[in-house]
Amino acid sequence: MTDQSIPQARTQAEAVAAPDTPDEGAAGSPATGGLSRRRLLGTAGATGLVLGAAGGAAGYAARPAGATPLSSLGSGKVMFHGKHQPGIVQRIQARGHLVAFDLAAGAGRKEAAALLRRWSETARRLMAGEGARQDDTGVALDAGPSSLTITFGLGHSFFACTGLEKQRPVALDPLPEFSSDRLDRARSNGDLWVQIGADDALVAFHALRAIQKDAGRAARVRWQMNGFNRSPGATAHPMTARNLMGQVDGTRNPKPSDADFDRRIFVPESGSRNPAWMANGSYAVVRRIRMLLDDWEQLSVKEQEHVIGRRKADGAPLTGGTETTEMDLEKTDRAGNLVVPLDAHARITRPDQNGGAAILRRPFSYHDGIDADGVPDAGLLFICWQADPLRGFVPLQRKLDRGDALSRYIRHEASGLFAVPGGAAEGEYVGQRLLEG
């Protein structure tokens, strides 16, 4: 967790402020009813499914007269093809699934290429509001795209499995160990990683099921995690989201409008120590961070604010102003004590306190029930993006390891690092330049 938190490149506040505007990459306006996964019963001929008792009639029935059009929430649409993969700069969605796969024994480069080709086609279709190519489950028949994004990454072990060790980026070397790590190896890493996000739970699950079915015999699930965020439009006015500790989370996240955003987040097309196939890609660090909520909630609000360095009510720095007011790190109280403590989370994670290190955070909260001791298994599915984890996540986490007040209330339980290739052009699949280069 860092103060650059809940990673909306386009913030949720911006999405709520303009609820009738489709997501970046939309092909039309919700007012036209043109952006739906399947308009109330879909579009004729969109898939090869057989519905009802008509016996052999392909596609979906025409939308009935007088049917209620999809809301702006359901009609949000993100394009699959592009310079970068989807699911990085788009605003955070309300529902998410993270799933890692290991290639099956004996599967190699050829099988990996075929799998990524299948996955890319499925992602393109589902994000465009169409059904899966084969054996669509029908889970999301009456839903729009709901800002669905599907993102693919490659783990360190993927390259040995496919005989491509010479093409493995140096930046994909394993992360160092940190003192707060209590990692479950079975829920960490993996050959392949898939991130799914959508503003509707059924749309997100439908995509997860399609991706799992597409894996077939080529790969098996290593681990899978489910997350959520506040739904767009759920608050009375636009605001930054809160995490499960109740803190406003996401104030200082980098924005695409920042002059150095691309340099910090994406691998350049040239002049990089990365292989050419990683141009316009990024690196995703994935951490399952359990929040020790019972301990946290025993603190007074004032104590919580000193741990974070911001007011709980509105996210403003303890030194005054509003959420976006610059924090005065030198300000002291009447007794001469720093208003923002030296070990406050918001102080430690500032880029100007870490040699300029910055990450784009795009996490989901999670809650997996109550354990045998009556303690909630809840926290953050932390996902951060950067052009180089050795210049982004690693220095920040090392700094946090040395004295972050928040570290007493969280525990890192799973971890992964994945190379996420650049976006696929029309007619390409993700990773094609690596696997066929």
Side-chain angles (χ1 to χ4, degrees):
M1 294 174 59
T2 79
D3 188 45
Q4 297 169 23
S5 348
I6 287 183
Q8 297 125 280
R10 242 188 68 194
T11 66
Q12 194 171 55
E14 292 168 331
V16 173
D20 292 326
T21 303
D23 276 355
E24 182 178 337
S29 165
T32 68
L35 296 179
S36 62
R37 173 181 305 282
R38 301 151 179 90
R39 296 184 188 175
L40 207 53
L41 286 176
T43 351
T47 75
L49 289 179
V50 178
L51 299 178
Y60 301 111
R63 177 174 170 174
T68 303
L70 289 168
S71 69
S72 60
L73 185 68
S75 63
K77 181 178 177 182
V78 182
M79 301 299 291
F80 174 73
H81 295 295
K83 183 177 182 180
H84 310 298
Q85 284 199 59
I88 302 175
V89 300
Q90 286 77 23
R91 66 165 177 80
I92 193 72
Q93 299 106 316
R95 299 287 177 173
H97 299 293
L98 309 180
V99 55
F101 293 82
D102 285 334
L103 290 170
R109 182 172 176 175
K110 179 180 177 181
E111 290 77 13
L115 174 57
L116 282 163
R117 186 182 296 111
R118 290 195 301 274
W119 274 353
S120 294
E121 174 61 11
T122 293
R124 183 196 67 76
R125 291 179 65 91
L126 298 188
M127 287 173 56
E130 303 171 12
R133 183 175 52 184
Q134 293 180 345
D135 300 325
D136 192 288
T137 61
V139 171
L141 281 177
D142 48 358
S146 299
S147 302
L148 174 68
T149 60
I150 305 177
T151 318
F152 304 106
L154 312 175
H156 185 276
S157 54
F158 175 86
F159 296 84
C161 294
T162 55
L164 292 166
E165 293 98 325
K166 292 183 179 180
Q167 288 294 319
R168 184 170 56 212
V170 174
L172 201 56
D173 286 352
L175 296 172
E177 294 184 1
F178 302 103
S179 63
S180 59
D181 286 356
R182 302 290 186 273
L183 303 182
D184 178 354
R185 303 297 174 182
R187 293 195 296 180
S188 299
N189 300 311
D191 296 342
L192 294 148
W193 174 69
V194 184
Q195 173 192 254
I196 296 168
D199 280 332
D200 179 77
L202 286 180
V203 169
F205 176 80
H206 176 245
L208 173 67
R209 191 75 182 104
I211 290 295
Q212 182 187 0
K213 290 172 68 177
D214 272 351
R217 297 181 179 178
R220 59 177 178 82
V221 173
R222 178 180 177 89
W223 55 259
Q224 193 250 316
M225 302 175 191
N226 310 310
F228 59 90
N229 285 299
R230 175 171 279 158
S231 298
T235 55
H237 56 83
M239 62 177 293
T240 307
R242 293 184 184 272
N243 60 32
L244 298 188
M245 289 178 159
Q247 299 295 141
V248 172
D249 192 353
T251 302
R252 292 182 58 86
N253 217 33
K255 298 176 178 61
S257 57
D258 296 343
D260 59 354
F261 181 85
D262 280 3
R263 178 179 64 81
R264 292 173 182 267
I265 308 305
F266 294 111
V267 174
E269 294 183 3
S270 61
S272 168
R273 66 193 184 117
N274 285 273
W277 64 266
M278 268 298 291
N280 300 314
S282 189
Y283 291 91
V285 173
V286 182
R287 309 276 280 183
R288 180 187 176 93
I289 303 176
R290 185 166 181 172
M291 295 176 172
L292 308 181
L293 294 178
D294 284 351
D295 294 338
W296 176 256
E297 291 164 4
Q298 289 179 9
L299 300 178
S300 68
V301 170
K302 184 176 181 180
E303 289 172 325
Q304 292 177 353
E305 290 178 340
H306 276 83
V307 169
I308 301 298
R310 291 183 175 273
R311 293 198 301 253
K312 190 169 186 177
D314 58 7
L318 296 183
T319 50
T322 66
E323 181 186 350
T324 57
T325 300
E326 192 68 20
M327 184 176 289
D328 182 354
L329 299 180
E330 304 303 320
K331 187 173 182 177
T332 58
D333 59 20
R334 292 180 180 179
N337 300 311
L338 288 169
V339 174
V340 179
L342 286 174
D343 61 354
H345 185 74
R347 174 190 285 270
I348 290 176
T349 57
R350 287 170 57 99
D352 58 8
Q353 301 293 301
N354 296 280
I359 55 177
L360 176 66
R361 297 180 71 255
R362 201 175 184 277
F364 294 92
S365 293
Y366 77 88
H367 178 225
D368 285 344
I370 309 298
D371 67 19
D373 296 324
V375 176
D377 182 2
L380 199 68
L381 300 181
F382 173 94
I383 308 161
C384 74
W385 300 89
Q386 59 260 287
D388 185 345
L390 293 178
R391 298 177 182 177
F393 173 78
V394 171
L396 283 172
Q397 189 59 36
R398 280 177 171 158
K399 185 79 172 288
L400 293 169
D401 236 22
R402 291 196 293 267
D404 177 24
L406 185 61
S407 64
R408 296 190 289 273
Y409 305 98
I410 60 175
R411 186 166 61 227
H412 293 241
E413 295 187 337
S415 179
L417 171 62
F418 302 95
V420 176
E426 293 280 351
E428 285 187 348
Y429 63 87
V430 171
Q432 183 169 336
R433 281 164 278 179
L434 165 66
L435 290 160
E436 297 186 16

